[in-house]
Amino acid sequence: MKKPLATYNIEINETDSRGDSLLIWVAILDRRFKCEVHRTGTRQASLFVFDSKDNDKIIYESRVSLSYDAKFGSDIADVTEWQEMCSNAVDAMVN
């Protein structure tokens, strides 16, 4: 079973994503859902949403593209798309 790559402190809403070259982007949604993008290729990645209240069960997974190979960090357009995907996945689960 896939597990989050980042270290999370859900109580204070912080993440530490340093040290893992596969980890492109991390976010915490509603102090519960761990959102991560993992590199799978030069311009390809997978987006995961993990539910921290259900043993980090994956509630959403999708293949995504990386603009400009994300060598210097995530592209703002990519991040905007990922945020929307994560929000939609959580909304669909909760509602």
Side-chain angles (χ1 to χ4, degrees):
M1 179 159 135
K2 193 85 165 163
K3 290 290 185 183
L5 295 177
T7 303
Y8 292 85
N9 185 343
I10 299 294
E11 294 305 311
I12 57 174
N13 207 26
E14 288 184 358
T15 62
D16 178 6
S17 61
R18 293 170 289 187
D20 196 321
S21 62
L22 296 178
L23 193 57
I24 302 294
W25 176 78
V26 298
I28 299 173
L29 185 58
D30 296 339
R31 291 188 159 197
R32 173 178 175 178
F33 301 98
K34 302 171 181 177
C35 307
E36 296 186 354
V37 174
H38 301 179
R39 180 184 302 279
T40 58
T42 303
R43 295 187 71 172
Q44 300 171 353
S46 291
L47 180 141
F48 297 95
V49 179
F50 301 94
D51 184 350
S52 67
K53 290 194 177 180
D54 193 4
N55 198 31
D56 288 330
K57 176 183 174 185
I58 297 172
I59 64 160
Y60 182 78
E61 179 178 354
S62 180
R63 297 183 82 180
V64 294
S65 61
L66 299 173
S67 299
Y68 314 109
D69 190 23
K71 286 185 180 183
F72 301 107
S74 306
D75 182 80
I76 191 68
D78 289 347
V79 171
T80 299
E81 179 183 3
W82 302 336
Q83 289 172 332
E84 186 174 331
M85 292 170 77
C86 292
S87 293
N88 289 342
V90 168
D91 286 347
M93 189 196 99
V94 173
N95 294 326

